[in-house]
């Protein structure tokens, strides 16, 4: 029986040593993974910050291009109306020129007929002979009257012909000017159309970029919501594990055997058990109703829903973000016990403190933690440093207050 007990004890010791070595190996592996993750997150944050700066100008550029496109469209419409008016004016001028040409042709025909008649019927001597060959003074006066009427009529026709000729010259000049204006405006209209097409293409391209950035913002918002749910589930799970561990009966202490020990085991060094605090040892006896500020700084994001200023994406912030200088000490907001210390997706390096009465606080985006799980802390105990781990691009502390794992407004607790 003694040998069986000694062998069993030896197996337990060896298993404990192997388990400790395995845990050390896992810790080293986790540290390497954490370092790699921090490096990747830092690269991602740099890219995200650059993309964020680029995306801020997208909508302003898009608005400006749309305005330019609208201006070009209005100018094109005005030019088209002006061209239509000029074309109508050219058509009227062509009709007018045609009418003047017909009128001048008729006058010229009349004058040619008048000259032909004068050549046929006038005496060969001169006009004076018409008066001298008259039978009476009355005939001479009638002849003179008729000759004056003919002369006045012919003079009027010549004046009308000269006026219509001047009018025709002006009409042709105006026609050439209108044609030149039409050509100039046609070229300008073509240029505006090209600019309009180019603007539309740029607008479409920017719109696609905005839509792509909006999808990224929506995806980031969904990931943030998932991370917030995950941290609530994590707290609930840890609380339940803690309660189960506390409810388990403690094993009775084993009496030391007075019998002779196995010679093999006697040679071994006695293994000192690690001091592990009892679950709930750091929980205050009285409920925590108010909390101290974990770090001094400006609250850059309040608790609750907000709308993205560019993409109008609705985002819920389950805590508050307090901007502070890198590596600023982060202090426990109240007395309690460290429920969790490690890396959580979306929140980076995280410390969660259980204050009892189902109340817990979350400290995220830390640069590093200075407490371990199970450690008892007091109000003001330094638990870590301000960082930008996780998906935060700025150095800030993300601070949450949870009641039974559900997010509460920290401003209702902070004093």
């Amino acid at each position: 029986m003694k040998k069986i007990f000694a062998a069993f004890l030896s197996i337990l010791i060896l298993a404990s040593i192997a388990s400790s070595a395995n845990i050390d190996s896992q810790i080293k592996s986790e540290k390497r993974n954490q370092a790699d993750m921090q490096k990747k997150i830092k690269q991602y944050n740099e890219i995200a910050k650059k993309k964020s700066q680029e995306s801020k100008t997208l909508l302003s550029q898009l608005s400006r291009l749309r305005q330019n496109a609208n201006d070009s469209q209005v100018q094109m419409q005005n030019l088209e109306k002006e061209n239509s008016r000029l074309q109508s004016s050219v058509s009227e001028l062509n009709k007018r020129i045609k009418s003047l040409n017909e009128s001048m042709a008729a006058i010229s025909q009349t004058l040619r007929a008048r000259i032909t008649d004068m050549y046929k019927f006038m005496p060969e001597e001169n006009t004076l002979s018409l008066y001298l060959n008259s039978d009476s003074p009355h005939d001479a006066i009638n002849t003179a009257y008729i000759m004056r009427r003919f002369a006045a009529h012919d003079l009027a026709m010549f004046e009308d012909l000269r006026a219509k000729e001047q009018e025709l010259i002006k009409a042709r000049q105006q026609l050439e000017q209108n044609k030149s204006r039409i050509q100039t405006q046609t070229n300008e209209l073509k240029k505006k159309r090209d600019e309009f097409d180019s603007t539309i293409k740029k607008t479409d391209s920017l719109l696609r970029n905005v839509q792509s950035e909006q999808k990224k913002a929506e995806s980031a918002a969904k990931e943030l919501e998932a991370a917030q749910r995950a941290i609530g589930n994590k707290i609930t799970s840890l609380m339940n594990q803690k309660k189960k561990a506390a409810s388990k009966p403690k094993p009775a202490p084993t009496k030391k055997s007075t019998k002779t020990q196995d010679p093999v085991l006697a040679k071994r060094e006695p293994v000192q058990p690690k001091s592990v605090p009892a679950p709930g040892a750091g929980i205050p006896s009285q409920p925590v109703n108010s909390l101290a500020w974990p770090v001094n700084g400006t609250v850059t994001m309040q608790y609750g829903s907000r709308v993205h200023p560019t993409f109008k994406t609705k985002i819920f912030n389950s805590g508050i973000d307090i901007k502070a200088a890198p590596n600023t000490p982060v202090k426990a907001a109240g007395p309690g016990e460290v429920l969790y210390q490690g890396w959580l997706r979306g929140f980076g390096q995280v410390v969660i403190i259980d204050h009892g009465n189902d109340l817990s606080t979350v400290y995220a985006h830390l640069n590093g933690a200075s407490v371990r799980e199970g450690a008892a802390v007091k109000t003001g105990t330094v638990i870590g440093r301000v960082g930008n781990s996780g998906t935060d691009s700025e150095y800030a502390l993300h601070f949450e207050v949870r009641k039974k794992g559900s997010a509460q407004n920290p401003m209702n607790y902070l004093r």
Side-chain angles (χ1 to χ4, degrees), residues 96-108:
R96 187 177 169 193
I97 288 171
K98 182 179 179 182
S99 175
L100 287 173
N101 284 330
E102 290 174 353
S103 179
M104 289 175 65
I107 293 172
S108 298

Side-chain angles (χ1 to χ4, degrees), residues 18-36:
S19 176
S20 177
N22 189 28
I23 291 172
D24 291 340
S25 176
Q26 288 180 359
I27 291 172
K28 290 180 181 179
S29 177
E30 286 296 326
K31 286 183 177 179
R32 285 195 299 270
N33 292 337
Q34 183 177 341
D36 292 340

Side-chain angles (χ1 to χ4, degrees), residues 58 61-62 65 202-211:
L58 284 178
Q61 291 178 6
L62 185 61
L65 286 174
K202 290 180 180 178
T203 302
D204 291 341
S205 176
L206 275 177
L207 184 58
R208 285 192 295 270
N209 288 339
V210 168
Q211 290 171 344

Side-chain angles (χ1 to χ4, degrees), residues 130-196:
L130 291 173
Y131 301 105
L132 297 175
N133 292 332
S134 300
D135 295 334
S136 64
H138 185 268
D139 289 338
I141 291 171
N142 286 337
T143 301
Y145 175 75
I146 291 170
M147 292 301 294
R148 282 198 301 275
R149 292 291 301 272
F150 279 141
H153 183 268
D154 291 345
L155 181 61
M157 283 197 298
F158 274 112
E159 291 295 333
D160 188 24
L161 182 63
R162 185 181 295 112
K164 289 184 182 298
E165 184 179 13
Q166 292 297 323
E167 188 178 356
L168 180 62
I169 291 171
K170 289 181 180 179
R172 283 176 175 169
Q173 288 175 349
Q174 187 176 356
L175 178 63
E176 292 301 323
Q177 290 175 359
N178 285 355
K179 284 183 177 179
S180 177
R181 285 180 63 188
I182 287 175
Q183 184 62 41
T184 302
Q185 290 189 356
T186 300
N187 294 337
E188 187 177 352
L189 181 60
K190 183 179 181 300
K191 182 180 177 181
K192 286 292 180 185
R193 279 177 179 164
D194 292 341
E195 289 177 358
F196 179 76

Side-chain angles (χ1 to χ4, degrees), residues 138-318:
H138 185 268
D139 289 338
I141 291 171
N142 286 337
T143 301
Y145 175 75
I146 291 170
M147 292 301 294
R148 282 198 301 275
R149 292 291 301 272
F150 279 141
H153 183 268
D154 291 345
L155 181 61
M157 283 197 298
F158 274 112
E159 291 295 333
D160 188 24
L161 182 63
R162 185 181 295 112
K164 289 184 182 298
E165 184 179 13
Q166 292 297 323
E167 188 178 356
L168 180 62
I169 291 171
K170 289 181 180 179
R172 283 176 175 169
Q173 288 175 349
Q174 187 176 356
L175 178 63
E176 292 301 323
Q177 290 175 359
N178 285 355
K179 284 183 177 179
S180 177
R181 285 180 63 188
I182 287 175
Q183 184 62 41
T184 302
Q185 290 189 356
T186 300
N187 294 337
E188 187 177 352
L189 181 60
K190 183 179 181 300
K191 182 180 177 181
K192 286 292 180 185
R193 279 177 179 164
D194 292 341
E195 289 177 358
F196 179 76
D197 292 340
S198 175
T199 301
I200 289 299
K201 288 179 181 177
K202 290 180 180 178
T203 302
D204 291 341
S205 176
L206 275 177
L207 184 58
R208 285 192 295 270
N209 288 339
V210 168
Q211 290 171 344
S212 174
E213 293 295 331
Q214 184 172 5
K215 287 180 181 178
K216 291 179 182 178
E218 291 172 352
S219 176
K222 289 179 181 178
E223 288 185 4
L224 181 60
E225 290 176 358
Q228 290 171 355
R229 287 194 300 270
I231 201 169
N233 295 336
K234 183 74 173 177
I235 291 173
T236 302
S237 174
L238 290 171
M239 289 286 193
N240 291 335
Q241 290 178 16
K242 190 174 180 181
K243 288 177 181 178
K244 287 181 181 179
S247 63
K248 285 183 178 181
K250 295 182 180 180
T254 306
K255 292 183 179 180
K256 292 184 180 180
S257 175
T258 55
K259 298 181 180 180
T260 309
Q261 294 184 356
D262 187 82
V264 177
L265 294 177
K267 294 180 181 179
R268 294 183 179 273
E269 291 289 334
V271 179
Q272 298 295 332
K274 294 182 179 179
S275 58
V276 179
I283 303 299
S285 57
Q286 297 297 325
V288 177
N289 296 319
S290 63
L291 299 170
W293 283 82
V295 68
N296 292 326
T298 305
V299 177
T300 56
M301 190 180 297
Q302 294 284 354
Y303 170 87
S305 298
R306 73 182 185 96
V307 178
H308 195 286
T310 303
F311 303 114
K312 310 304 179 186
T313 306
K314 192 174 182 180
I315 301 173
F316 180 78
N317 188 26
S318 54

Side-chain angles (χ1 to χ4, degrees), residues 32 36 49 80 109 199 205 271 343 385 404:
R32 285 195 299 270
D36 292 340
K49 189 175 181 180
E80 286 172 353
Q109 183 66 28
T199 301
S205 176
V271 179
W343 187 276
R385 303 280 173 175
K404 295 183 179 180

Side-chain angles (χ1 to χ4, degrees), residues 38-54:
Q38 286 179 341
K39 185 177 180 181
K40 290 178 181 178
I41 290 296
K42 186 177 181 180
Q43 293 173 352
Y44 169 78
N45 285 335
E46 290 175 355
I47 295 172
K49 189 175 181 180
K50 183 178 179 182
K51 287 294 181 182
S52 175
Q53 291 173 351
E54 291 175 357

